[in-house]
Amino acid sequence: MAAPVLVTGAAGFIGHATAHRLLERGETVIGVDIVNDYYDPSLKEARLSTFNGRREFSFHRADIADTEAMAKLVRDNGVTRVIHLAAQAGVRYSIDNPMAYERSNLAGHLSIMEACRHAPGFEHLVYASSSSVYGDKPMGGQGFSEDEPSVDPVSLYAATKRACELMSQSYAKLYGFPQTGLRFFTVYGPWGRPDMAYFSFTNRIMAGQSIEVYGEGKMARDFTYIDDIVTGILGALDHPPEQGGHRVLNIGDSHPVGLMEMISTLESAIGREAVKIMKPMQPGDVTATYADVSKLRELTGYQPKVMLAEGLQRFADWYREYYRVG
């Protein structure tokens, strides 16, 4: 039997979905999450409850920055593959709560790398980066490319993600284990994060409240459905770089959608029109994100399949069922 896969952030949006897909393909999964209160912990607990009865899944409520605990977990279970998704998320939250990012994102990433480098026969560390490392960029062209000469983080959250990429690059060269960083582009779907715009808009529309539309509605995002993201993650996991290699890959839909179009599509999925209050850009936000995914496609055959209208309809249906609203 293959060694178990360690998934950090298993109570989170992407980690939960990734762990389930691994189980579906016959893997044994060890999940780790601290289950903090950045957003409603009951949603995280509900995600974890979906693993009840799965003997191939075990869960450890732990802090990834606890270096000894992570090293022991990896060593005692013979882990040779890690999907590291745990982090303190949120561009706006980082502006007012900077110290939360030092432990989760920086110390946590270093702790996971330390555990991996001491693991016998270690095969591949796949970790979450973010499209926010690119900073701002006008619409047009072929989208953000990993080959661009520089990145320009405009938030502390983005800066910590870029720092993780640099730490991984140095660790790969120093200690010789393969690593892949994935720059996620605006992931959405059922079981999503309540701090994301599409989710918070749904909360307010369902409650008959107005929504605040930042950037005067002129922003655009590369909305990527959760199932497509997980397909890309596992594709990357299954195609490690050479021993000691480190790479960074974009993972997105490669089809930017304007904020007003997203809102209109969400209104159709919900069946209600939103009262919109237009607001200027917030600090740390960027105008547009748009992924060039040619490298991931070449490596794994990655091809997003779920368009925004279908994805938001699935989310709206899940929302009604989970929150028991009409």
Side-chain angles (χ1 to χ4, degrees), residues 250-300:
N250 287 339
I251 180 168
D253 189 70
S254 194
H255 178 70
V257 175
L259 181 56
M260 297 307 295
E261 181 182 346
M262 184 276 281
I263 293 171
S264 175
T265 305
L266 182 62
E267 290 171 329
S268 296
I270 295 172
R272 300 182 189 180
E273 187 175 351
V275 176
K276 306 168 193 68
I277 299 175
M278 311 307 283
K279 294 278 190 174
M281 288 272 285
Q282 288 192 307
D285 270 346
V286 298
T287 306
T289 63
Y290 176 16
D292 174 354
V293 297
S294 55
K295 284 188 175 181
L296 184 60
R297 181 179 298 117
E298 181 180 354
L299 179 70
T300 69

Side-chain angles (χ1 to χ4, degrees), residues 165-203:
E165 293 178 357
L166 294 173
M167 286 193 290
S168 281
Q169 180 177 329
S170 66
Y171 255 64
K173 289 183 178 180
L174 286 170
Y175 305 115
F177 64 90
Q179 299 185 59
T180 299
L182 296 174
R183 291 174 175 169
F184 293 118
F185 282 71
T186 315
V187 188
Y188 75 100
W191 294 103
R193 276 175 33 205
D195 61 317
M196 299 291 285
Y198 74 94
F199 202 126
S200 61
F201 286 168
T202 301
N203 283 336

